[in-house]
Amino acid sequence: IAGRYTTFDRELDGARVHVSTYASAKKAEAERLAGIVLGVRACLEAWLKVPFPFQDLQLVEIKDWGWGQAPPGVIFITQEAFMTPARAQMNDPDEAAFYTRGVNERIAHEVAHSWFPHVAKVRRNEENWLSESFAEYASIECLRQSMKDEQQGEYFFQRAVKDWKFGAREIGDGGSVYLASHLSGEREKDFIAHRALLYSKGPLVIHALREELKKKLGDVKGESAFLTWMRAYAQNFTFKTGETRHLVGILNQITGEEWQPWFERFVYGTEMPKMK
């Protein structure tokens, strides 16, 4: 329907990705995107200890701006992901500049959807943060780990945290992550709040939990507890449906403490975690 595509194939240690570019062949851009996909995939496999669930991954360019989707085994991503600065000048440089900011993060986010929700599945609308917020947080963590310079990686991660805080200001203490799906998309302010809850407050809550565990248990044990929690969710609910209540139970078991009140405040409730 869209026109002619050119497909480039890349394989690394048995992992295959096929990148299809729209209209003109964009080999350099396809190679760059395949590298991001394979890097994030390898990181998430190591981080979660759950294999990538598909034999191949198809990444397809869409002639549009500013969005991505990840049905099983496929990533649809819009054209700014395939643009070098030179190519952007050939199109609409102002529009391209706006949409290309954070495009690597968007690619990584769609890769992370292979685990959230295609491995750890989501059935109820209220649990959609287990897909979007967890994919957002895990993808940013893996982009941090993929950077060769540790200081650069930490700067990148803290910049993402700052972006989440900024986005969460749209709702302040007035929005529940758990109830985000009940916001109607008909009004612009509801659409903005819905995105702020799932893509800003949600990952910020996950990070706040990570910091709270380190505060309670110390940096090393807290970090270990957080990673165990993430892995337990992905492993215990591989191709099964998980819910927020299960995550609370897992955390209770790992730490020997009761975490329901914490989730009542920040996930089910509307309170915003206070972080430096």
Side-chain angles (χ1 to χ4, degrees), residues 126-145:
E126 290 85 358
E127 305 291 353
N128 199 36
W129 82 289
L130 299 181
S131 170
E132 298 297 349
S133 302
F134 272 68
E136 178 69 10
Y137 193 83
S139 61
I140 292 297
E141 173 64 32
C142 276
L143 284 175
R144 166 165 68 172
Q145 293 186 24

Side-chain angles (χ1 to χ4, degrees), residues 51 68 84 91 101 106 126 129 164 185 200 215 232 252 272:
T84 61
N91 290 270
R101 184 189 184 278
R106 202 176 314 147
E126 290 85 358
W129 82 289
W164 295 333
S200 294
K215 180 180 175 182
N252 291 348
M272 189 72 68

Side-chain angles (χ1 to χ4, degrees), residues 31-126:
E31 285 289 324
R32 177 177 62 82
L33 293 177
I36 295 172
V37 168
L38 291 169
V40 173
R41 168 181 168 163
C43 171
L44 282 167
E45 284 188 320
W47 205 50
L48 299 172
K49 300 298 183 185
V50 176
F52 188 73
F54 310 112
Q55 184 175 6
D56 289 19
L57 181 65
Q58 310 282 340
L59 192 150
V60 182
E61 180 183 8
I62 301 297
K63 188 171 171 54
D64 200 355
W65 295 102
W67 58 269
Q69 289 182 348
V74 182
I75 292 176
F76 296 115
I77 196 77
T78 46
Q79 60 191 344
E80 69 275 5
F82 294 80
M83 287 189 176
T84 61
R87 193 178 295 278
Q89 293 299 319
M90 297 167 58
N91 290 270
D92 185 330
D94 293 331
E95 196 165 33
F98 174 78
Y99 285 115
T100 51
R101 184 189 184 278
V103 73
N104 290 355
E105 291 94 316
R106 202 176 314 147
I107 291 285
H109 177 96
E110 301 303 336
V111 175
H113 273 314
S114 296
W115 284 267
F116 311 105
H118 297 321
V119 168
K121 295 186 176 297
V122 173
R123 297 293 185 206
R124 298 173 61 228
N125 287 338
E126 290 85 358

